[in-house]
Amino acid sequence: MAKTRILEILVGTFMAAGFVALFFLAMQVSNLSASAAGDGYSLTARFDNIGSLKTRAPVSMAGVRVGRVESIQYDQDTYQAVVTMRIDEGYDRIPSDTFANIFTAGLLGEQYVGLDPGGSPDYLRDGEQIEHTQSALVLEQMIGQFLFSKAEEVSQ
Amino acid sequence: MMNALARLGRLGLDSLARLGRAHLLLFGILGGLPSVLLRPRLLIAQIYGIGVLSVLIIVVSGLFVGMVLGLQGYYVLAQFGAAESLGVMVAASLVRELGPVVTALLFAGRAGSALTAEIGLMKATEQLSALEMMAVDPIRRILAPRFLGGFISMPLLAAMFSAVGVLGGYFVGVGLLGVDDGAFWSQMEAKIDFEEDIVNGVVKSVVFGVVVTWIALYEGFDATPTSSGVSQATTRTVVHSALAVLGMDFVLTALMFGD
């Protein structure tokens, strides 16, 4: 009888250790703890060019992550990209004249949406749109423009 | 000429027959699963034999695989000035690929071969026939608990492998090579997705657990009841399990992360 008891205890320890490992992977290694922090609300913004922005890219204010890009659609009528962002609960005081930019983390890093707060006393609410946006800087275009202007300088 | 054709035909028919017997056995085992739940003692003994006794080799391998990933990853990433991404690299490779696959390979060698040898020997010494004589269904009494034991043990072992591997990579990267502690974890948390990476890794390990246990049980149950037959069956278990795991891993990876 004592032998089966030891067996049961060992098996119980094994299964507990397995679940602890799974829990560790879920909480410490993945983003489950971060994304489970409430539902928040969504904002949209229209950009002429989003560069290589991806869904799930961070949305940050003053460098602090306040949300994530939820979906990116293309509007055929205005030829613009419609970016839907989910802002975490608690960050509910984003002025209505906030400026949305697409920045790149580092020279070759991934792109993210940076919000520059304006001075309006009204705050954006769920489903509203950020009016002021600036497109992503596409490195190839900038290099192209730079070379082009250099060539013009030389020819003059 | 005709002989060669006949041999080829026999080979094909034999393979099909083996595949058919393996599936019949699987359905028999699945049908026997409810009766296992009525006798949890049998299941606990099997989880002990299959799972608990495999923990040591899984944990040690996981630790060393994680540490080697830390060393090699740091060497490459440091050349691009991206040593902070070490955590992402270690965790992604472990959770997505190495955890399920290496655990399944070790599992086939450690637990699968033991299952085949045990059942093959039971067959060779006519213990299975004796059970049938006593109107005890050997599939329900012997095979089903082992199958369920493998099904439960394998995902837990794979999770332990990945978790210990991440800690091994942390130990080498942060402890020995001087990667920033905070960046290691924060980049990892930012880039590893729960559903895409962790859940898919667990799905993989469940599939591998079923496949390896199934192959092991079938080879044992279908072994020629002689000592050389049992030894051949044990070898086949390890070889076929390894091939099945690697092949299915490619298919699963293509399905999960292919787009």
Side-chain angles (χ1 to χ4, degrees), chain A residues 4 7-8 11 15, chain B residues 32-52 115 118 122 131 136-153 217:
Chain A
T4 39
L7 204 72
E8 282 170 359
V11 170
M15 293 184 71
Chain B
L33 287 185
S35 62
V36 177
L37 298 175
L38 296 176
R39 289 202 197 83
R41 279 277 153 74
L42 290 178
L43 179 62
I44 285 174
Q46 289 314 319
I47 294 182
Y48 177 76
I50 295 170
V52 177
L115 284 177
E118 188 187 12
M122 279 185 185
L131 279 177
V136 176
D137 183 359
I139 292 183
R140 293 193 169 192
R141 177 82 192 190
I142 304 291
L143 299 190
R146 285 165 173 75
F147 183 79
L148 200 58
F151 176 78
I152 294 174
S153 302
L217 293 179

Side-chain angles (χ1 to χ4, degrees), chain A residues 70-120:
Chain A
E70 197 174 45
S71 70
I72 298 171
Q73 267 123 27
Y74 174 62
D75 185 346
Q76 283 196 333
D77 299 326
T78 57
Y79 306 111
Q80 280 180 322
V82 182
V83 175
T84 310
M85 292 164 273
R86 183 145 289 266
I87 309 294
D88 292 347
E89 235 168 344
Y91 302 112
D92 54 356
R93 294 198 306 181
I94 300 176
S96 58
D97 55 348
T98 291
F99 214 95
N101 306 284
I102 296 180
F103 292 129
T104 308
L107 192 59
L108 300 168
E110 67 168 344
Q111 293 191 301
Y112 65 97
V113 179
L115 299 179
D116 267 340
S120 165

Side-chain angles (χ1 to χ4, degrees), chain A residues 8 25 28-31, chain B residues 41 188-189 192-194 198:
Chain A
E8 282 170 359
L25 289 176
Q28 190 72 31
V29 175
S30 84
N31 58 359
Chain B
R41 279 277 153 74
M188 193 190 297
E189 278 179 33
I192 305 288
D193 186 48
F194 178 71
I198 309 251

Side-chain angles (χ1 to χ4, degrees), chain B residues 76-157:
Chain B
V76 176
L77 290 172
Q79 292 182 343
F80 299 104
E84 276 73 29
S85 306
L86 186 67
V88 186
M89 204 211 87
V90 171
S93 20
L94 277 170
V95 171
R96 284 180 162 201
E97 291 297 332
L98 291 174
V101 172
V102 178
T103 308
L105 295 178
L106 292 170
F107 185 74
R110 163 66 188 74
S113 58
L115 284 177
T116 306
E118 188 187 12
I119 292 169
L121 211 62
M122 279 185 185
K123 191 181 179 189
T125 52
E126 304 196 341
Q127 295 180 44
L128 295 182
S129 316
L131 279 177
E132 276 180 66
M133 292 279 288
M134 294 187 289
V136 176
D137 183 359
I139 292 183
R140 293 193 169 192
R141 177 82 192 190
I142 304 291
L143 299 190
R146 285 165 173 75
F147 183 79
L148 200 58
F151 176 78
I152 294 174
S153 302
M154 174 63 202
L156 298 176
L157 288 171

